[in-house]
Each structure stands twice: as C-alpha cells, then as structure tokens.
Amino acid sequence: RCYCGKVRVGTTAAAPVKPGTFCACESCRRAHGSLLYSVVYVPAATFRVLEGAEHVKWYHPAVAADDDVAHKGRAWCTNCGTRVFIRNYFMDQRLVGLHHGNFEDAALVNDETWRPSRYVHQHEQPCALLADALKHLKDPYAPPPPSAGADTRAASAPAANADAT
C-alpha cells in the first residue's frame, strides 16, 4: 500500500517471474530519490489495484518509438506521492514491478521467494562502497551493548528510601 493507505495493490502470482532485485541504475535512483530501489516483478495479468485506482497517476518516460508506451511507466499515489508500482517489459512479457517497501506483510519481504536476492547496476552507483558500508552501519535505535566489564545486573530501579531524608 502507499504511505497514506489510499492505494493498495496486489497480485495473485504465487512467485515472481524475476528474483527480487536491488537496483542502483540512474533511472531508479532518480525516480525514487534513493541510492537503491527494491523491486520484484510479477506478470501483469496477475496484478490488480485493489483500492484507490482513482488516486493512481502515471509518468511515462521517453522510450523508443517501437515501445508500447502504454505499458511502461511508473505509478504513484496522487494524495501522498508514494511510488506504488511500475510497468515494464522483460523478454516480451508485460510485467508489473512491486516495490518491497510497499508490501503490507513484512514476512513476505523476508520470504525467500520474494525477498531481494540480486543487486544490479552497481557500476552506476555514485556511492560505490554503499553495499560494503551498509554492513558496518549500526542500528541507531538498538540498545547499546553493555560495556566490557560492566555490571549488567538490573541497577536501574531506584533504591528504596533513596529520597528519604
């Protein structure tokens, strides 16, 4: 679904036709305002806009004259601006790309069938060391590890009568 929830999409496909992919091509970076884009493709015939079709707006990039422009492009929610899906071709198949970030079921993103397993267009990445750097970043919301040699017993409870005088 999109950020505001007005647009929901779905597929009846049991599995994607291409592995989930992280893409760093210039087109994807610019369209999504991000260094990486995460997508999984399903056959267009299995795709549906479940809610909010009236909020879907299209951007059709300049494509070769022999391309079918009606079946290429990026769709977004007109209310919140979230990119919700893309249409594309791959080996003469009409496909729809679903963005991993829009999956309502987080478990599905981690499912081996759907999760990203490829990283393409790394050579176009302006930050060539991004993938290596990511594994060294720490989660800013994770609790800090205990200090070496520190007493890790529960010491945060106030002592009884600590304020008593």
Side-chain angles (χ1 to χ4, degrees), residues 79-99:
N79 188 60
C80 66
T82 301
R83 306 281 194 260
V84 287
F85 60 94
I86 65 173
R87 286 185 177 162
N88 210 338
Y89 282 110
F90 180 71
M91 299 180 74
D92 297 326
Q93 290 183 331
R94 287 186 177 166
L95 302 176
V96 172
L98 305 175
H99 311 315

Side-chain angles (χ1 to χ4, degrees), residues 123-149:
H123 63 282
E124 294 185 43
Q125 182 65 286
C127 178
L129 300 177
L130 178 67
D132 186 52
L134 287 176
K135 64 184 169 190
H136 299 292
L137 294 178
K138 295 184 178 9
D139 180 352
Y141 302 106
S147 302

Side-chain angles (χ1 to χ4, degrees), residues 5-154:
K6 291 190 183 289
V7 178
R8 290 184 59 240
V9 299
T11 182
T12 57
V17 294
K18 289 173 61 175
T21 303
F22 287 116
C23 183
C25 78
E26 182 177 359
S27 174
C28 288
R29 287 194 329 264
R30 294 197 185 283
H32 297 276
S34 179
L35 292 174
L36 284 176
Y37 163 63
S38 176
V39 64
V40 64
Y41 286 96
V42 297
T46 70
F47 171 80
R48 298 286 178 271
V49 175
L50 303 173
E51 292 177 17
E54 69 276 13
H55 295 287
V56 174
K57 179 105 175 158
W58 284 94
Y59 169 72
H60 297 283
V63 293
D66 60 344
D67 278 343
D68 184 352
V69 172
H71 294 284
K72 277 195 163 185
R74 298 179 185 273
W76 74 92
C77 172
T78 57
N79 188 60
C80 66
T82 301
R83 306 281 194 260
V84 287
F85 60 94
I86 65 173
R87 286 185 177 162
N88 210 338
Y89 282 110
F90 180 71
M91 299 180 74
D92 297 326
Q93 290 183 331
R94 287 186 177 166
L95 302 176
V96 172
L98 305 175
H99 311 315
H100 285 102
N102 295 347
F103 282 23
E104 291 187 58
D105 183 356
L108 191 58
V109 177
N110 290 314
D111 182 279
E112 193 171 303
T113 306
W114 293 89
R115 73 176 174 220
S117 61
R118 302 183 320 153
Y119 179 26
V120 297
H121 298 285
Q122 302 95 311
H123 63 282
E124 294 185 43
Q125 182 65 286
C127 178
L129 300 177
L130 178 67
D132 186 52
L134 287 176
K135 64 184 169 190
H136 299 292
L137 294 178
K138 295 184 178 9
D139 180 352
Y141 302 106
S147 302
D151 184 357
T152 57
R153 292 177 285 173

